[in-house]
């Protein structure tokens, strides 16, 4: 866990990057593959620590998952084929793993205990344990089901109509995964639309789901069928290079085969609004998720305001957008983003604290932050706080720092992007 010296004072970034597979879609491909009948193959699976946590949990639930040179092959067991695990399941750092897995386990008539790392132990779980308990699952956890360790005994569940207080795809997906196994119809209504990969994947696995504005419904008792999945590049990983290309002088970077699902493309809308020199070439989508190539060049940027229903479309990109805003003329206001407080770290605190160390003019607010640009960044000792996206944001910030920057807890980056530094160096 030593300090890692980051590259600073970079004068140009040029070239192409094939960003790694989408994290949200990779998790879901294994989960759906496991509970479907027949074989599922996944190309472009993200070999990051989070998705590997999902793989190891499903192996413990009795599912055979093979890793070939370029594919994950999942031998689906059907819902009833999952078995009671002999040991505790450890989800590591992954919120998606624990919350979606709870939805699957809510319908399974056996006992499971779930734990994770220190960060997972601080993240709120009643957002899923409450609705799943009201469907009939028996769930216990520290502080009345709010924190891990959590234990669950599922089975015999009934559909609910649930108005979620937060726009969260993890909450929505957990309830839908339970709903697919419940008696009757299950409906989730969100305050704003969150990412819809689960809805798309239900259809890809031959299931049915109804969407009506902010409401999503599934019928219980659905049998899913294995399929072949191609995982597009993760726009949340591409985001670090989109910002790097925009703020480092003399740059031109093309990001290939990036997922362009409209529930995820908030960062593109914001960057264009801020004046980014960006072109998008949509590719013919082979599957249910749209994809394209994105080219970004060094840009003259202006501040903007980000809030409302845009927030769920870019929630994971706010750390890197905050850095972008330090290099834009004028003020950028980010609001309605309270959810940042319950991510891998409290990202309002960690972003403001770490960018301030580098010399940014950034202030925390109760639901976001205010950034004043344009601001020369200096240097210093910074930390990822064990949060992958904070680590990558700081590595991109260092590129435009005049003085030395060292990063503590760099290893967190492997959670979503093990090849990050190799890809970054290719562009230098
Ligand atoms: C995710 C949903 C989002 C996002 C997370 C991945 C998913 O979380 O921040 O990185 O795969 O469903 P919330 O559902 O908590 O907003």
């Amino acid at each position: 866990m030593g300090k890692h010296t980051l590259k600073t004072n970079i004068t140009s970034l040029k070239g192409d990057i094939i960003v790694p597979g989408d994290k949200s879609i990779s998790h879901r491909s294994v989960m759906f593959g496991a509970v479907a009948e027949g074989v599922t193959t996944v190309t472009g699976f993200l070999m990051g620590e989070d998705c590997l946590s999902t793989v190891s949990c499903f192996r413990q639930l009795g599912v055979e998952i093979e890793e070939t040179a370029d594919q994950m092959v999942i031998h689906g067991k059907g819902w009833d084929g999952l078995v009671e695990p002999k040991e505790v399941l450890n989800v590591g750092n992954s919120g998606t793993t624990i919350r979606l897995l709870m939805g699957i386990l809510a319908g399974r008539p056996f006992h499971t205990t779930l734990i994770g790392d220190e960060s997972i132990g601080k993240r709120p779980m009643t957002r899923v344990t409450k609705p799943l308990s009201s469907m009939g699952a028996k769930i216990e956890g520290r502080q009345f089901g709010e924190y891990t360790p959590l234990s669950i005994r599922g089975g015999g569940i009934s559909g609910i109509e649930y108005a979620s207080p937060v726009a969260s795809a993890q909450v929505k997906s957990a309830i839908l995964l339970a709903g697919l196994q419940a008696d009757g119809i299950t409906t989730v209504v969100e305050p704003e639309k969150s990412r819809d990969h689960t809805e798309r994947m239900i259809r890809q696995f031959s299931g049915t789901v109804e969407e009506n504005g902010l409401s999503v419904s599934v019928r219980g008792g659905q049998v899913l069928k294995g399929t072949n999945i191609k995982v597009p590049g993760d726009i949340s990983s591409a985001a670090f290079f989109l910002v790097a290309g925009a703020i480092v002088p003399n740059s031109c970077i093309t990001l290939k085969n990036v997922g362009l699902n409209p529930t995820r493309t908030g960062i593109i809308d914001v960057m264009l609004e801020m004046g980014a020199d960006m072109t998008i070439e949509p590719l013919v989508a082979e599957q249910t998720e749209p994809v394209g190539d994105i080219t970004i060049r060094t840009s003259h940027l202006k501040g903007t305001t980000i809030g409302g229903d845009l927030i769920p479309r870019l929630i994971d990109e706010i750390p890197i957008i905050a850095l972008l805003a330090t290099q834009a003329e004028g003020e950028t206001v980010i609001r309605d983003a309270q959810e940042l407080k319950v991510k891998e770290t409290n990202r309002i605190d960690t972003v403001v604290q770490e960018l301030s160390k580098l010399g940014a003019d950034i202030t925390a607010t109760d639901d976001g932050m205010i950034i004043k640009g344009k601001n020369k960044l200096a240097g210093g000792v910074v930390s990822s706080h064990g949060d992958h996206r904070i680590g990558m944001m700081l590595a991109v910030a260092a590129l435009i720092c005049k003085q030395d920057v060292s990063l503590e807890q760099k290893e967190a980056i492997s959670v979503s992007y093990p090849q990050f530094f190799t890809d970054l160096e290719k562009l230098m």
Side-chain angles (χ1 to χ4, degrees):
M1 283 229 306
K3 267 188 227 156
H4 175 82
T5 306
L6 295 172
K7 294 264 164 62
T8 53
N9 248 319
I10 300 302
T11 51
S12 166
L13 291 175
K14 290 219 159 85
D16 294 357
I17 297 277
I18 301 174
V19 293
D22 188 277
K23 183 155 81 68
S24 293
I25 298 172
S26 295
H27 281 299
R28 287 163 172 78
S29 65
V30 169
M31 295 185 177
F32 277 86
V35 300
E37 295 187 349
V39 174
T40 290
T41 64
V42 187
T43 349
F45 182 82
L46 171 64
M47 290 288 183
E49 284 168 10
D50 265 13
C51 297
L52 295 174
S53 294
T54 293
V55 168
S56 78
C57 289
F58 278 90
R59 284 189 174 138
Q60 282 181 261
L61 288 161
V63 182
E64 189 196 337
I65 302 172
E66 289 171 83
E67 273 174 55
T68 70
D70 60 347
Q71 281 190 330
M72 292 301 257
V73 181
I74 302 136
H75 297 265
K77 290 271 192 175
W79 297 107
D80 293 332
L82 298 185
V83 298
E84 184 171 77
K86 293 193 184 80
E87 305 286 344
V88 168
L89 303 191
N90 189 338
V91 304
N93 190 242
S94 177
T96 306
T97 307
I98 192 163
R99 297 203 179 107
L100 271 61
L101 188 50
M102 295 279 286
I104 292 174
L105 295 174
R108 298 298 86 219
F110 54 71
H111 172 260
T112 308
T113 299
L114 295 156
I115 58 164
D117 69 5
E118 196 187 326
S119 155
I120 279 290
K122 295 182 191 149
R123 299 184 66 184
M125 296 297 156
T126 47
R127 52 178 61 198
V128 292
T129 57
K130 255 173 73 178
L132 296 176
S133 298
S134 78
M135 294 175 84
K138 310 271 178 298
I139 306 175
E140 292 282 353
R142 197 160 48 90
Q143 292 190 27
F144 303 98
E146 180 68 319
Y147 300 115
T148 55
L150 289 166
S151 70
I152 176 162
R153 175 174 291 280
I157 55 174
S158 312
I160 48 167
E161 188 164 335
Y162 188 69
S164 177
V166 280
S168 159
Q170 293 180 357
V171 172
K172 173 177 65 178
S173 303
I175 298 168
L176 294 176
L177 283 162
L180 288 168
Q181 310 169 73
D183 276 342
I185 307 280
T186 295
T187 300
V188 184
V189 186
E190 297 193 281
E192 285 115 24
K193 192 163 173 65
S194 66
R195 63 191 67 191
D196 65 356
H197 305 300
T198 296
E199 295 87 315
R200 289 172 190 255
M201 212 166 266
I202 291 173
R203 296 192 184 102
Q204 211 178 336
F205 279 86
S206 308
T208 56
V209 50
E210 254 179 61
E211 290 174 80
N212 194 346
L214 297 172
S215 152
V216 189
S217 303
V218 291
R219 181 175 38 76
Q222 294 197 40
V223 175
L224 302 173
K225 298 269 182 255
T227 183
N228 302 319
I229 295 191
K230 277 195 171 169
V231 181
D234 197 328
I235 191 167
S236 297
S237 298
F240 297 99
F241 294 107
L242 290 176
V243 170
I247 65 177
V248 171
N250 312 308
S251 295
C252 179
I253 306 173
T254 297
L255 298 154
K256 300 279 203 187
N257 190 42
V258 180
L260 294 175
N261 180 319
T263 61
R264 297 282 301 281
T265 49
I267 182 156
I268 293 178
D269 297 355
V270 164
M271 287 186 74
L272 290 173
E273 163 76 25
M274 291 174 80
D277 184 354
M278 182 193 286
T279 39
I280 300 164
E281 207 169 308
L283 301 170
V284 179
E286 287 174 58
Q287 298 199 327
T288 67
E289 296 277 351
V291 288
D293 294 343
I294 311 177
T295 299
I296 180 76
R297 295 166 214 87
T298 310
S299 308
H300 290 289
L301 302 160
K302 58 180 188 339
T304 188
T305 297
I306 303 169
D309 60 8
L310 188 52
I311 295 294
R313 296 180 56 231
L314 48 65
I315 188 72
D316 291 341
E317 288 65 73
I318 291 178
I320 194 70
I321 290 173
L323 169 65
L324 182 73
T326 69
Q327 302 309 303
E329 300 288 346
E331 191 173 80
T332 294
V333 179
I334 300 172
R335 57 172 181 240
D336 308 319
Q338 304 86 333
E339 277 293 299
L340 289 175
K341 295 180 182 172
V342 292
K343 294 296 175 188
E344 286 82 331
T345 56
N346 176 334
R347 286 184 178 159
I348 296 181
D349 289 353
T350 49
V351 167
V352 170
Q353 192 180 322
E354 298 307 310
L355 280 177
S356 298
K357 285 185 192 167
L358 296 177
D361 182 345
I362 179 167
T363 318
T365 62
D366 198 43
D367 64 349
M369 52 196 91
I370 299 171
I371 303 120
K372 292 198 179 110
K374 178 177 176 175
N375 210 293
K376 280 210 167 64
L377 301 185
V381 179
V382 289
S383 171
S384 75
H385 296 257
D387 183 334
H388 55 131
R389 298 199 199 281
I390 302 296
M392 288 185 274
M393 180 275 281
L394 292 167
V396 175
L399 302 172
I400 57 163
C401 282
K402 299 287 166 237
Q403 292 153 29
D404 291 349
V405 182
S406 53
L407 175 65
E408 293 174 336
Q409 290 187 258
K410 168 206 174 205
E411 63 286 345
I413 291 173
S414 307
V415 155
S416 64
Y417 202 157
Q419 299 301 314
F420 175 73
F421 284 105
T422 315
D423 282 352
L424 182 57
E425 275 177 29
K426 265 192 3 204
L427 300 171
M428 292 183 189

mmCIF file of all heavy atoms in Angstrom, residues 23-24 28 96 99-100 123 127 167-171 173 195 315-316 339 343-344 389, ligand 1:
data_model
loop_
_atom_site.group_PDB
_atom_site.id
_atom_site.type_symbol
_atom_site.label_atom_id
_atom_site.label_comp_id
_atom_site.label_asym_id
_atom_site.label_seq_id
_atom_site.Cartn_x
_atom_site.Cartn_y
_atom_site.Cartn_z
ATOM 1 N N LYS A 23 -18.981 -2.519 -16.264
ATOM 2 C CA LYS A 23 -19.048 -3.201 -14.964
ATOM 3 C C LYS A 23 -20.485 -3.635 -14.651
ATOM 4 O O LYS A 23 -20.725 -4.775 -14.269
ATOM 5 C CB LYS A 23 -18.509 -2.254 -13.872
ATOM 6 C CG LYS A 23 -18.458 -2.846 -12.484
ATOM 7 C CD LYS A 23 -17.410 -2.144 -11.624
ATOM 8 C CE LYS A 23 -17.910 -0.835 -11.032
ATOM 9 N NZ LYS A 23 -18.980 -1.010 -10.015
ATOM 10 N N SER A 24 -21.437 -2.734 -14.826
ATOM 11 C CA SER A 24 -22.837 -3.058 -14.515
ATOM 12 C C SER A 24 -23.323 -4.239 -15.357
ATOM 13 O O SER A 24 -24.012 -5.134 -14.861
ATOM 14 C CB SER A 24 -23.734 -1.856 -14.808
ATOM 15 O OG SER A 24 -23.455 -0.806 -13.919
ATOM 16 N N ARG A 28 -24.299 -8.288 -14.248
ATOM 17 C CA ARG A 28 -25.624 -8.832 -14.583
ATOM 18 C C ARG A 28 -25.517 -10.043 -15.492
ATOM 19 O O ARG A 28 -26.338 -10.956 -15.416
ATOM 20 C CB ARG A 28 -26.485 -7.735 -15.229
ATOM 21 C CG ARG A 28 -26.963 -6.685 -14.189
ATOM 22 C CD ARG A 28 -27.443 -5.422 -14.890
ATOM 23 N NE ARG A 28 -28.075 -4.467 -14.001
ATOM 24 C CZ ARG A 28 -27.435 -3.627 -13.172
ATOM 25 N NH1 ARG A 28 -26.106 -3.655 -13.089
ATOM 26 N NH2 ARG A 28 -28.103 -2.768 -12.419
ATOM 27 N N THR A 96 -22.966 -3.470 -6.164
ATOM 28 C CA THR A 96 -23.850 -4.116 -7.141
ATOM 29 C C THR A 96 -23.987 -5.596 -6.811
ATOM 30 O O THR A 96 -25.100 -6.150 -6.847
ATOM 31 C CB THR A 96 -23.316 -3.925 -8.573
ATOM 32 O OG1 THR A 96 -23.105 -2.529 -8.805
ATOM 33 C CG2 THR A 96 -24.296 -4.452 -9.602
ATOM 34 N N ARG A 99 -26.245 -6.054 -3.489
ATOM 35 C CA ARG A 99 -27.656 -5.660 -3.571
ATOM 36 C C ARG A 99 -28.418 -6.521 -4.580
ATOM 37 O O ARG A 99 -29.535 -6.982 -4.297
ATOM 38 C CB ARG A 99 -27.748 -4.161 -3.894
ATOM 39 C CG ARG A 99 -27.127 -3.293 -2.759
ATOM 40 C CD ARG A 99 -27.673 -1.890 -2.761
ATOM 41 N NE ARG A 99 -27.122 -1.075 -1.679
ATOM 42 C CZ ARG A 99 -26.217 -0.097 -1.835
ATOM 43 N NH1 ARG A 99 -25.754 0.197 -3.044
ATOM 44 N NH2 ARG A 99 -25.791 0.598 -0.801
ATOM 45 N N LEU A 100 -27.833 -6.782 -5.747
ATOM 46 C CA LEU A 100 -28.555 -7.607 -6.725
ATOM 47 C C LEU A 100 -28.650 -9.063 -6.252
ATOM 48 O O LEU A 100 -29.679 -9.721 -6.434
ATOM 49 C CB LEU A 100 -27.889 -7.516 -8.114
ATOM 50 C CG LEU A 100 -28.410 -6.375 -9.008
ATOM 51 C CD1 LEU A 100 -28.173 -5.006 -8.388
ATOM 52 C CD2 LEU A 100 -27.806 -6.423 -10.395
ATOM 53 N N ARG A 123 -22.083 0.943 3.904
ATOM 54 C CA ARG A 123 -23.058 1.368 2.877
ATOM 55 C C ARG A 123 -24.463 0.889 3.233
ATOM 56 O O ARG A 123 -24.656 -0.219 3.710
ATOM 57 C CB ARG A 123 -22.600 0.875 1.499
ATOM 58 C CG ARG A 123 -21.245 1.492 1.153
ATOM 59 C CD ARG A 123 -20.782 1.126 -0.213
ATOM 60 N NE ARG A 123 -21.638 1.691 -1.251
ATOM 61 C CZ ARG A 123 -21.479 1.439 -2.551
ATOM 62 N NH1 ARG A 123 -20.529 0.612 -2.957
ATOM 63 N NH2 ARG A 123 -22.278 1.990 -3.436
ATOM 64 N N ARG A 127 -32.258 0.011 2.010
ATOM 65 C CA ARG A 127 -32.906 0.359 0.744
ATOM 66 C C ARG A 127 -33.294 -0.887 -0.052
ATOM 67 O O ARG A 127 -34.215 -0.846 -0.854
ATOM 68 C CB ARG A 127 -32.025 1.315 -0.066
ATOM 69 C CG ARG A 127 -30.616 0.835 -0.257
ATOM 70 C CD ARG A 127 -29.756 1.771 -1.093
ATOM 71 N NE ARG A 127 -29.611 3.100 -0.523
ATOM 72 C CZ ARG A 127 -29.219 4.174 -1.205
ATOM 73 N NH1 ARG A 127 -28.931 4.073 -2.498
ATOM 74 N NH2 ARG A 127 -29.117 5.344 -0.622
ATOM 75 N N ALA A 167 -33.470 7.119 -6.758
ATOM 76 C CA ALA A 167 -33.294 6.621 -8.124
ATOM 77 C C ALA A 167 -32.053 5.753 -8.099
ATOM 78 O O ALA A 167 -30.942 6.261 -8.191
ATOM 79 C CB ALA A 167 -33.119 7.776 -9.094
ATOM 80 N N SER A 168 -32.215 4.463 -7.911
ATOM 81 C CA SER A 168 -31.071 3.548 -7.795
ATOM 82 C C SER A 168 -31.346 2.287 -8.595
ATOM 83 O O SER A 168 -32.310 1.567 -8.339
ATOM 84 C CB SER A 168 -30.848 3.182 -6.325
ATOM 85 O OG SER A 168 -30.105 1.980 -6.238
ATOM 86 N N ALA A 169 -30.446 2.012 -9.553
ATOM 87 C CA ALA A 169 -30.604 0.794 -10.350
ATOM 88 C C ALA A 169 -30.338 -0.442 -9.514
ATOM 89 O O ALA A 169 -30.863 -1.515 -9.816
ATOM 90 C CB ALA A 169 -29.655 0.836 -11.545
ATOM 91 N N GLN A 170 -29.533 -0.286 -8.464
ATOM 92 C CA GLN A 170 -29.281 -1.459 -7.616
ATOM 93 C C GLN A 170 -30.552 -1.842 -6.855
ATOM 94 O O GLN A 170 -30.886 -3.021 -6.742
ATOM 95 C CB GLN A 170 -28.119 -1.175 -6.658
ATOM 96 C CG GLN A 170 -26.802 -1.026 -7.414
ATOM 97 C CD GLN A 170 -25.615 -0.740 -6.519
ATOM 98 O OE1 GLN A 170 -25.762 -0.592 -5.307
ATOM 99 N NE2 GLN A 170 -24.444 -0.653 -7.117
ATOM 100 N N VAL A 171 -31.261 -0.851 -6.349
ATOM 101 C CA VAL A 171 -32.519 -1.119 -5.639
ATOM 102 C C VAL A 171 -33.554 -1.692 -6.618
ATOM 103 O O VAL A 171 -34.164 -2.741 -6.377
ATOM 104 C CB VAL A 171 -33.046 0.181 -4.982
ATOM 105 C CG1 VAL A 171 -34.442 -0.037 -4.421
ATOM 106 C CG2 VAL A 171 -32.091 0.648 -3.891
ATOM 107 N N SER A 173 -33.124 -3.154 -9.467
ATOM 108 C CA SER A 173 -32.756 -4.478 -9.986
ATOM 109 C C SER A 173 -32.972 -5.561 -8.945
ATOM 110 O O SER A 173 -33.425 -6.664 -9.271
ATOM 111 C CB SER A 173 -31.286 -4.479 -10.415
ATOM 112 O OG SER A 173 -31.065 -3.472 -11.373
ATOM 113 N N ARG A 195 -30.253 3.609 -14.498
ATOM 114 C CA ARG A 195 -29.785 2.772 -15.615
ATOM 115 C C ARG A 195 -30.684 1.552 -15.794
ATOM 116 O O ARG A 195 -31.147 0.964 -14.800
ATOM 117 C CB ARG A 195 -28.321 2.375 -15.412
ATOM 118 C CG ARG A 195 -28.052 1.537 -14.204
ATOM 119 C CD ARG A 195 -26.555 1.424 -13.924
ATOM 120 N NE ARG A 195 -26.001 2.713 -13.531
ATOM 121 C CZ ARG A 195 -24.706 2.980 -13.419
ATOM 122 N NH1 ARG A 195 -23.810 2.059 -13.673
ATOM 123 N NH2 ARG A 195 -24.300 4.178 -13.048
ATOM 124 N N ILE A 315 -23.982 9.636 -12.241
ATOM 125 C CA ILE A 315 -23.601 9.623 -10.825
ATOM 126 C C ILE A 315 -22.159 9.153 -10.604
ATOM 127 O O ILE A 315 -21.424 9.758 -9.807
ATOM 128 C CB ILE A 315 -24.623 8.800 -9.981
ATOM 129 C CG1 ILE A 315 -24.362 8.938 -8.491
ATOM 130 C CG2 ILE A 315 -24.648 7.333 -10.398
ATOM 131 C CD1 ILE A 315 -24.721 10.253 -7.902
ATOM 132 N N ASP A 316 -21.728 8.118 -11.340
ATOM 133 C CA ASP A 316 -20.375 7.596 -11.128
ATOM 134 C C ASP A 316 -19.301 8.495 -11.755
ATOM 135 O O ASP A 316 -18.112 8.329 -11.477
ATOM 136 C CB ASP A 316 -20.249 6.180 -11.716
ATOM 137 C CG ASP A 316 -21.076 5.169 -10.921
ATOM 138 O OD1 ASP A 316 -21.435 5.442 -9.764
ATOM 139 O OD2 ASP A 316 -21.370 4.089 -11.486
ATOM 140 N N GLU A 339 -26.646 11.172 -3.206
ATOM 141 C CA GLU A 339 -26.258 9.760 -3.309
ATOM 142 C C GLU A 339 -24.736 9.576 -3.295
ATOM 143 O O GLU A 339 -24.245 8.497 -2.965
ATOM 144 C CB GLU A 339 -26.843 9.145 -4.585
ATOM 145 C CG GLU A 339 -28.284 8.692 -4.430
ATOM 146 C CD GLU A 339 -28.409 7.513 -3.465
ATOM 147 O OE1 GLU A 339 -27.828 6.456 -3.717
ATOM 148 O OE2 GLU A 339 -29.096 7.660 -2.439
ATOM 149 N N LYS A 343 -21.546 6.169 -1.764
ATOM 150 C CA LYS A 343 -20.814 5.338 -2.737
ATOM 151 C C LYS A 343 -19.630 4.669 -2.024
ATOM 152 O O LYS A 343 -19.597 4.629 -0.794
ATOM 153 C CB LYS A 343 -20.374 6.213 -3.913
ATOM 154 C CG LYS A 343 -21.551 6.750 -4.729
ATOM 155 C CD LYS A 343 -22.319 5.632 -5.396
ATOM 156 C CE LYS A 343 -23.557 6.128 -6.109
ATOM 157 N NZ LYS A 343 -24.391 5.013 -6.586
ATOM 158 N N GLU A 344 -18.643 4.173 -2.792
ATOM 159 C CA GLU A 344 -17.514 3.446 -2.205
ATOM 160 C C GLU A 344 -16.861 4.272 -1.092
ATOM 161 O O GLU A 344 -16.330 3.728 -0.117
ATOM 162 C CB GLU A 344 -16.498 3.082 -3.296
ATOM 163 C CG GLU A 344 -16.948 1.934 -4.201
ATOM 164 C CD GLU A 344 -17.883 2.341 -5.329
ATOM 165 O OE1 GLU A 344 -18.647 3.331 -5.198
ATOM 166 O OE2 GLU A 344 -17.860 1.646 -6.374
ATOM 167 N N ARG A 389 -12.678 5.089 -8.302
ATOM 168 C CA ARG A 389 -12.923 6.254 -9.178
ATOM 169 C C ARG A 389 -12.202 7.506 -8.674
ATOM 170 O O ARG A 389 -11.840 8.382 -9.456
ATOM 171 C CB ARG A 389 -14.418 6.499 -9.339
ATOM 172 C CG ARG A 389 -15.115 5.310 -10.004
ATOM 173 C CD ARG A 389 -16.459 5.642 -10.601
ATOM 174 N NE ARG A 389 -17.240 4.430 -10.793
ATOM 175 C CZ ARG A 389 -17.092 3.574 -11.802
ATOM 176 N NH1 ARG A 389 -16.196 3.796 -12.738
ATOM 177 N NH2 ARG A 389 -17.851 2.489 -11.884
HETATM 178 C C1 LIG B 1 -24.987 0.422 -10.487
HETATM 179 C C2 LIG B 1 -25.853 1.417 -10.082
HETATM 180 C C3 LIG B 1 -25.400 2.665 -9.458
HETATM 181 C C4 LIG B 1 -23.928 2.926 -9.715
HETATM 182 C C5 LIG B 1 -23.088 1.705 -9.481
HETATM 183 C C6 LIG B 1 -23.525 0.567 -10.387
HETATM 184 C C7 LIG B 1 -25.554 -0.809 -11.065
HETATM 185 O O1 LIG B 1 -25.609 2.583 -8.054
HETATM 186 O O2 LIG B 1 -23.462 3.983 -8.911
HETATM 187 O O3 LIG B 1 -21.720 1.986 -9.743
HETATM 188 O O4 LIG B 1 -24.795 -1.587 -11.674
HETATM 189 O O5 LIG B 1 -26.767 -1.023 -10.928
HETATM 190 P P1 LIG B 1 -27.036 2.941 -7.371
HETATM 191 O O6 LIG B 1 -28.025 1.981 -7.847
HETATM 192 O O7 LIG B 1 -26.760 2.820 -5.900
HETATM 193 O O8 LIG B 1 -27.318 4.348 -7.781
#
